[in-house]
Amino acid sequence: MRADDTAPARAGSARAAFLPALAVCLAAPAFFVLEITWVGWILSAVGLAGAWLADRHTRSGLLRDLALIVVGMLIVSAIPLAAELDNAAMVRFTIALGGAVAVPYLLSRFVFRDHAIRFPWRTGERWRPAQWVWLAAVLVLGWLILPFYFITSDVYLNWPVVDTPDLMARLFVGVGAVGIWDELFFICTVFALLRRHLPNWTANLLQAIVFVSFLWELGYRAWGPVLTIPFALLQGVIFLRTRSLAYVVTVHLLFDAVVFAVLVHAHNPGMLDAFFLVN
């Protein structure tokens, strides 16, 4: 397999890769949902051991690529992911989330001399009408669904109270920054590495496990996975079709703009009541 090849491997290699990749991705619920770190370590170790055995027969680089995913998850799992807006928390998030993207990329690019992890911001193609329609649909769907989810389930309480301009500004920056990071890590790193060894649909399902697990610890709990699972899968599909990081980031930021507005609304009754159906 060429260093820059992100296409799935042959069927035999994909079968050999599935169980190790599944074990590694199941470490994410252990780290971020159950919050039982040692279970995550064991699953990661089992996955990497399986990748080593698979590589003895396929020489596909599975161990290398799964190790990069594990490194990223371990860096993220080193900090609590509860949403906080103080200076220390924002620095902590910046270092950990930034490291979870930067370290696998630097290892891949400069240690393994590999180009699997890329951030294709521009494709050179104009967005099609259907893509613009989907951007509008994201706003409408978010406006219809998110207030009901956050307020009726009380999950908005997983985010700190934002009742001053300073806190609102911090929330706006934090929500947007994490949204961008989601696409850099889950799509451009985890999904891209899995696609080298698995069919696209399988890789997408596995990256969604990691994506949704992270969002759970971040605060999207209760029946949040009913929303976050299809969102994670759709982001993978959209990226496959557009090959555009700019587009999936735009989708995510529009979604997060509604999340921000809903959180402000939920924490400040009366402020935005005219804009939402659920108060």
Side-chain angles (χ1 to χ4, degrees):
M1 182 179 293
R2 299 197 316 271
D4 62 347
D5 184 9
T6 57
R10 292 189 298 270
S13 297
R15 285 194 295 270
F18 175 70
L19 288 178
L22 177 63
V24 164
C25 291
L26 287 177
F31 286 133
F32 307 125
V33 179
L34 301 176
E35 298 185 51
I36 305 177
T37 304
W38 64 267
V39 174
W41 291 343
I42 290 174
L43 286 167
S44 297
V46 168
L48 294 179
W52 176 76
L53 291 173
D55 270 352
R56 295 181 64 187
H57 300 286
T58 64
R59 300 186 183 277
S60 63
L62 179 64
L63 176 60
R64 171 199 61 211
D65 292 336
L66 293 187
L68 293 174
I69 294 173
V70 169
V71 166
M73 289 197 298
L74 288 175
I75 293 173
V76 175
S77 69
I79 67 166
L81 294 176
E84 297 175 335
L85 298 175
D86 58 276
N87 290 338
M90 297 189 81
V91 170
R92 185 169 64 243
F93 264 73
T94 299
I95 293 172
L97 300 191
V101 170
V103 172
Y105 172 77
L106 293 172
L107 288 173
S108 175
R109 181 68 180 85
F110 297 106
V111 176
F112 299 135
R113 303 293 181 181
D114 193 277
H115 294 271
I117 301 174
R118 298 172 180 269
F119 307 104
W121 187 255
R122 294 183 178 180
T123 63
E125 298 181 3
R126 298 178 65 179
W127 292 355
R128 297 184 297 276
Q131 291 174 264
W132 289 103
V133 169
W134 177 241
L135 294 181
V138 167
L139 286 173
V140 173
L141 290 170
W143 176 74
L144 289 171
I145 298 170
L146 291 176
F148 181 78
Y149 164 60
F150 275 96
I151 294 173
T152 63
S153 67
D154 286 335
V155 295
Y156 74 91
L157 297 173
N158 294 332
W159 279 260
V161 173
V162 283
D163 54 3
T164 67
D166 175 65
L167 289 174
M168 291 179 191
R170 287 170 177 265
L171 178 67
F172 182 80
V173 171
V175 168
V178 172
I180 294 170
W181 178 85
D182 286 343
E183 305 306 325
L184 297 178
F185 184 67
F186 300 116
I187 299 299
C188 292
T189 302
V190 176
F191 189 31
L193 292 169
L194 291 172
R195 286 182 57 234
R196 304 183 90 188
H197 308 279
L198 298 166
N200 288 333
W201 68 270
T202 307
N204 199 23
L205 287 171
L206 293 186
Q207 72 82 17
I209 293 173
V210 186
F211 201 155
V212 172
S213 299
F214 170 83
L215 292 178
W216 177 273
E217 186 175 352
L218 191 64
Y220 291 84
R221 303 190 180 188
W223 51 275
V226 173
L227 303 178
T228 57
I229 290 172
F231 180 78
L233 292 171
L234 276 172
Q235 288 295 86
V237 171
I238 290 169
F239 184 75
L240 284 175
R241 294 196 173 190
T242 65
R243 309 290 178 175
S244 172
L245 175 59
Y247 187 74
V248 293
V249 165
T250 301
V251 170
H252 203 132
L253 289 180
L254 288 175
F255 181 85
D256 282 347
V258 181
V259 170
F260 164 76
V262 171
L263 289 173
V264 172
H265 167 61
H267 282 295
N268 299 274
M271 180 178 289
L272 297 175
D273 286 359
F275 294 96
F276 293 105
L277 301 177
V278 179
N279 297 310

